[in-house]
Amino acid sequence: MEDTEENVMEQEEPLVSGKKASSTRRSTRLNIQRSSVCSRAYFVVVMVFFHVYILNVIALLLYVHYNNGAGDLVSGDTASSAAVSQGGSSLPRPSAPAARQLHVEEHSQTFSLSRIEGIRVGHVQHVSLVPGRTHAMVTLSLKPLLFEIPGFLSEEECRVVVQLAQLKGLMESQTPSPSPGREDSNQPLLSISTEEVFSLLDLNQDGLLQKQEIVSHSRSRDGTWLSPDNLRQILTGLEVRPTGFLTLEDFRHVYDVSQGPGQQRSGKLQSHFKQRSKHTWLYQGSGSHHVLQTLRNRVITLTRLPSTLVELSEPLQVIRYEQGDFSDAHHDSSHSHLETSCAHTRLAGNTSALTEVSCRYLTVLFYLSSAEEGGETTFPVADNRTYDEQALVQDGVDLTDTQETCGRGNVRIKPSPGTALLWYNHLSDGRGWIGELDEYSLHGDCPVRRGVKWAANSWVNVDPDHQIQARYQRLVAQRHQAKSVMEEHYQPLSHSDLHQDL
């Protein structure tokens, strides 16, 4: 019996052992399966996070690329646009000057010209032109829209600009006038006969005046004895002739008509303008003195205009008025006609235009010093109720003659170092672009009685034809890109390249 029970026990032990071994094997397989499942899930999670990271990096690169892309040069700085849309008096702070390339696509977008609101005469706006400081901008006139900004330049900046002008060298004005007190001080600069005018226009000296000879003279810009109005009148007289040319007798009749009473006043302001001073031009682009670049950036901020318009405009003109120097009342810009083209965009415009004129949307005048006596800037007809060119002569006195009538100007500003004047030479066309010439922007410089006066002009050139202006900017961008490939990037694109050779 005992032997039987021991056998039974021995048989049960293998069964128990077998069950334990089987259970151990199932547990091992289960652990192995569970371990493989965890590894696969961990791998999937890692790969998902890796792909998300890569996508985020790509998205970030695309965001940076498109946000640093085109739009600033033509459509205007975002801060400036925001300031205009908000209608507040604060201007965006100028960004630090930096070298940058012009891109062709940056000139294909449409943009408008902003204008500062004058509100009323005497209104003060606070503008931010320099970090950590505000400037007071005072409205001096509404016709034209004229502002005064004291402290626009520091004394050091004024001194640097004057020194740079002296180093560059000053030249006499193109339209000098006789000294004050001479009997012929109010006479035209050049007085020549009709026969002499005909001979000067007759380039081939065949005794006949053809249309091409008139057009060639209008482009030469080598004289002050014929105004654009005179040339248009002569050309009109030629075109009505069946022969297609003018003889001396024909020309004598046409020229006399162009010099008639109705033409004298318009010719006075354009061809008989008198000025006596010395001046020079200072380039403000890449490679120029940092003070000149700072002033240009400050003008961009003040005017709220697209930076390209300012950068592609004329260089800074610095003028020195000595004792007795002056300039008669004149307009900085010109009327636009089908026969004219803007000087700064002529290669992108109508090459067959009769003559080229200055197209200056606005003027920023800097006073670099003050004269001991005299030298005021005068606006003879500012804020008149109406403008009548014939009314400029009152009691036999011509209001455009600053030598005689400077004290009769409606608005006169005494030069003060560092002060800037801003005025618009054109009205708005109602669609955000340059409109007609503002006749009230007539201005001049009173004679300096004692001392020396230094001043500078910064003009913003805009073509009345929006498409021509955009085409010109595209041409400049293309030329700039071509030069960048062939030359070193630090070489500046000179003003002569932009406005003459292009």
Side-chain angles (χ1 to χ4, degrees):
M1 288 290 296
E2 289 180 346
D3 293 336
T4 303
E5 288 177 0
E6 289 178 359
N7 291 334
V8 171
M9 297 228 9
E10 289 176 357
Q11 289 177 359
E12 287 179 356
E13 285 180 357
L15 287 177
V16 173
S17 299
K19 289 181 181 180
K20 288 183 179 180
S22 176
S23 175
T24 302
R25 284 194 297 270
R26 283 196 302 270
S27 176
T28 302
R29 285 197 302 270
L30 183 59
N31 289 337
I32 293 176
Q33 290 175 358
R34 287 177 181 175
S35 176
S36 63
V37 170
C38 291
S39 299
R40 192 179 302 113
Y42 178 79
F43 176 79
V44 171
V45 171
V46 169
M47 292 303 297
V48 169
F49 275 104
F50 177 78
H51 283 82
V52 171
Y53 174 79
I54 295 298
L55 291 175
N56 285 335
V57 170
I58 295 175
L60 180 60
L61 292 176
L62 291 175
Y63 175 82
V64 172
H65 172 74
Y66 285 109
N67 276 273
N68 289 339
D72 172 68
L73 291 181
V74 170
S75 60
D77 295 58
T78 304
S80 299
S81 302
V84 173
S85 62
Q86 292 172 1
S89 59
S90 296
L91 295 180
R93 183 167 299 176
S95 57
R100 48 180 176 159
Q101 292 185 345
L102 301 176
H103 301 286
V104 177
E105 63 271 19
E106 290 175 336
H107 305 281
S108 60
Q109 304 181 18
T110 60
F111 63 102
S112 60
L113 304 175
S114 61
R115 291 175 69 91
I116 303 174
E117 294 295 333
I119 311 299
R120 65 183 180 277
V121 175
H123 178 72
V124 179
Q125 303 181 51
H126 295 283
V127 296
S128 177
L129 304 175
V130 180
R133 180 186 174 190
T134 59
H135 291 74
M137 183 169 62
V138 185
T139 302
L140 299 183
S141 168
L142 297 179
K143 296 190 302 183
L145 201 51
L146 170 64
F147 304 92
E148 181 182 38
I149 308 99
F152 188 88
L153 291 82
S154 66
E155 293 184 4
E156 177 67 15
E157 289 171 335
C158 292
R159 185 182 62 82
V160 169
V161 175
V162 170
Q163 290 178 342
L164 290 173
Q166 291 174 324
L167 291 173
K168 178 74 177 293
L170 301 176
M171 54 186 174
E172 296 288 344
S173 302
Q174 296 179 356
T175 54
S177 72
S179 300
R182 291 182 54 179
E183 293 181 359
D184 58 347
S185 61
N186 291 324
Q187 297 301 317
L189 296 177
L190 288 175
S191 179
I192 56 180
S193 66
T194 303
E195 290 76 9
E196 290 173 320
V197 174
F198 182 86
S199 179
L200 289 171
L201 289 174
D202 187 11
L203 299 179
N204 59 7
Q205 295 295 299
D206 63 351
L208 300 174
L209 195 58
Q210 286 87 18
K211 177 179 179 180
Q212 187 58 38
E213 291 174 318
I214 300 176
V215 174
S216 297
H217 169 78
S218 69
R219 294 176 186 167
S220 66
R221 307 172 70 187
D222 59 355
T224 59
W225 40 277
L226 281 180
S227 68
D229 288 337
N230 299 145
L231 289 170
R232 278 193 294 271
Q233 190 72 26
I234 295 172
L235 185 61
T236 301
L238 183 146
E239 291 177 339
V240 299
R241 301 286 172 176
T243 57
F245 56 79
L246 293 176
T247 64
L248 177 57
E249 291 301 321
D250 296 333
F251 177 76
R252 183 177 286 111
H253 173 72
V254 173
Y255 184 67
D256 290 342
V257 172
S258 72
Q259 297 295 310
Q263 302 294 329
Q264 290 295 331
R265 173 51 46 190
S266 60
K268 167 69 179 179
L269 298 182
Q270 298 187 44
S271 62
H272 298 164
F273 163 67
K274 298 192 295 290
Q275 180 179 16
R276 199 177 76 187
S277 62
K278 294 181 180 179
H279 73 280
T280 190
W281 302 88
L282 297 179
Y283 174 70
Q284 295 182 270
S286 175
S288 63
H289 195 282
H290 71 90
V291 169
L292 299 179
Q293 296 188 52
T294 299
L295 293 183
R296 188 182 65 177
N297 291 336
R298 207 170 293 168
V299 169
I300 294 173
T301 305
L302 173 66
T303 60
R304 310 174 184 177
L305 292 173
S307 56
T308 294
L309 290 181
V310 180
E311 292 169 356
L312 297 185
S313 295
E314 298 171 71
L316 185 70
Q317 184 193 42
V318 182
I319 310 176
R320 173 187 170 96
Y321 296 89
E322 299 177 356
Q323 185 171 341
D325 288 352
F326 70 99
S327 69
D328 275 352
H330 59 281
H331 295 106
D332 280 352
S333 194
S334 307
H335 289 281
S336 59
H337 300 282
L338 294 177
E339 305 91 345
T340 63
S341 64
C342 294
H344 75 285
T345 58
R346 61 182 179 274
L347 293 183
N350 181 13
T351 57
S352 63
L354 180 62
T355 187
E356 296 168 1
V357 297
S358 297
C359 300
R360 295 161 173 167
Y361 177 56
L362 59 79
T363 300
V364 181
L365 169 66
F366 311 119
Y367 291 123
L368 304 176
S369 71
S370 59
E372 296 180 31
E373 182 180 351
E376 299 90 350
T377 302
T378 177
F379 289 79
V381 295
D383 280 334
N384 274 3
R385 290 197 175 190
T386 58
Y387 178 84
D388 184 1
E389 205 170 44
Q390 301 298 330
L392 289 174
V393 178
Q394 299 179 2
D395 301 327
V397 179
D398 191 344
L399 294 181
T400 65
D401 185 359
T402 58
Q403 290 181 290
E404 300 294 332
T405 63
C406 186
R408 300 177 62 173
N410 288 354
V411 175
R412 296 189 305 278
I413 303 101
K414 186 175 179 60
S416 177
T419 296
L421 300 180
L422 163 66
W423 69 85
Y424 292 90
N425 299 306
H426 286 262
L427 303 171
S428 173
D429 67 348
R431 296 171 294 180
W433 199 244
I434 181 174
E436 293 295 324
L437 177 71
D438 189 345
E439 301 281 5
Y440 296 91
S441 65
L442 186 72
H443 66 282
D445 295 279
C446 300
V448 175
R449 304 301 181 189
R450 191 169 67 246
V452 176
K453 167 188 168 184
W454 285 89
N457 289 311
S458 179
W459 289 298
V460 178
N461 301 121
V462 180
D463 197 302
D465 190 320
H466 183 282
Q467 295 181 350
I468 292 179
Q469 179 70 36
R471 189 182 308 128
Y472 164 69
Q473 294 180 194
R474 286 195 296 269
L475 289 174
V476 173
Q478 291 170 356
R479 179 173 176 83
H480 187 87
Q481 289 180 343
K483 288 173 69 72
S484 298
V485 173
M486 300 174 61
E487 302 175 358
E488 296 294 334
H489 292 284
Y490 67 83
Q491 293 183 350
L493 189 60
S494 69
H495 176 261
S496 60
D497 289 335
L498 299 180
H499 292 271
Q500 295 178 11
D501 301 332
L502 197 55

